[in-house]
Amino acid sequence: MPERIHLSRAHVTTVEEELVLEAMRSGWVAPLGPMVDRFENEVAERVGVEHALALSSGTAALHLALLHVGAGPGRVVVLPSMTFAATANAVRYTGAEPVFVDSLADDANVDPQLLLDAVDQLIAEGSDIAAVVSVDLFGRSADNALLETELARRDLPLIEDAAEALGAHRSGRAAGAFGLAAALSFNGNKIMTTSGGGMLLSNDTALIERARYLSTQARQPAAWYEHTETGYNYRLSNILAAIGVGQLLRLDEMIARRREIRQRYADTLGTIDGVRLLGRGGDPSDAQDNCWLTCIVLDPQQHTASVDDIVADLSARGIEARHLWKPMHLQPLFAQARMFDNGVSQDLFRSGITLPSGSELDDAQIDRVVGAVQAHLTGVRR
């Protein structure tokens, strides 16, 4: 069998190797150092925010942002149901109650009007909302400009989960630049990686200073180890930051390759009746996306193929594909959580497939994926 094709594998070159070697030879083999400082400054400049804090994960960034706005027991955080569990888990870490909102059919991002209606209903019912979290799915920014404006009118903070969207932009602003704070992820499968890591972004100096303090075990400025409250071990190491510096140098190159891959899928699978590319049917097009992952959605009226069967078939052919995120309100962990439902996220989960999209993939590998999907759909199509 030919080499397995992965969904989104880390794409690392000699650029990153040389920077890691430089970091090691500097002696800063620790959670602090010049590569951490450089990485924070360069990401902040890229996104267009004043401050960045390099952390162990995007989840840690969300957790610290939510703590800053006072999320905790007796309070509510409103967030999309269609997301990776990390977004909702960060809410649970604080003890706050997650309340979920459904998606837009075109790109799976949260339905902004449904979210605002949910917020207004919760306020009318007397709920104490600590924050609203938006999520930029699959490398495409949600309508954060609208949410930012409307939530400010309601005196509510917006926190942007931009874990999947570094390099994307919308309304003239980069993903990660909206709201009070934003979280990035550098997990191994993201548009760029530090092998594991994340970053908290904000223009709020006090927020970043407080998060920096909490992320280093809340150590007080004393000559000995002095602690007055619970802290967290959330900092990113100097070695991992060196990988991030190298990846950031290559970010535009990697986005360009993922864009080529998406276009290849559009030119082949996107021309099949009853198959659409997620996010390509509306306005704006994917020209502003970082094209992290390309997803197709099947029309159940035209295709009897189940997503389960297609994913299993591709796996048997040595190709990794996955369902779209299973909505949080369908997860057993959050079965009791409140949901403002329009049915879209559930339909997308049942009919959507995420295809291999990594920037290290060559054209022949993408053609293998296309051929396998075409063969399956042709075999079971009505």
Side-chain angles (χ1 to χ4, degrees), residues 52 57 74 80 102 113-114 165 209 255 264 275 278 329 339 353:
S57 69
D102 220 315
Q113 190 55 57
L114 183 61
E209 288 181 349
I255 291 174
R264 206 170 185 88
V275 178
L278 193 69
H329 73 285
M339 170 67 178
I353 306 169

Side-chain angles (χ1 to χ4, degrees), residues 23-51:
M24 294 181 67
R25 287 175 173 170
S26 75
W28 288 95
V29 187
L32 297 171
M35 284 295 179
V36 173
D37 297 340
R38 178 179 171 182
F39 189 37
E40 290 176 344
N41 291 335
E42 292 184 357
V43 170
E45 182 177 3
R46 167 83 191 214
V47 174
V49 298
E50 293 183 21
H51 308 290

Side-chain angles (χ1 to χ4, degrees), residues 35-54 166-167 174-177 182-186 192 194 198-202 236 241 244-249 251:
M35 284 295 179
V36 173
D37 297 340
R38 178 179 171 182
F39 189 37
E40 290 176 344
N41 291 335
E42 292 184 357
V43 170
E45 182 177 3
R46 167 83 191 214
V47 174
V49 298
E50 293 183 21
H51 308 290
L53 175 64
L166 178 60
L184 301 176
S185 171
F186 306 122
M192 59 164 274
T194 55
M199 193 163 282
L200 178 63
L201 304 171
S202 181
L236 189 74
V245 169
Q247 290 269 283
L248 192 61
L249 288 171
L251 178 60

Side-chain angles (χ1 to χ4, degrees), residues 17-30 34-35 238-239 242:
E17 291 177 10
E18 291 170 1
L19 286 161
V20 168
L21 188 59
E22 178 183 333
M24 294 181 67
R25 287 175 173 170
S26 75
W28 288 95
V29 187
M35 284 295 179
N238 196 56
I239 300 298

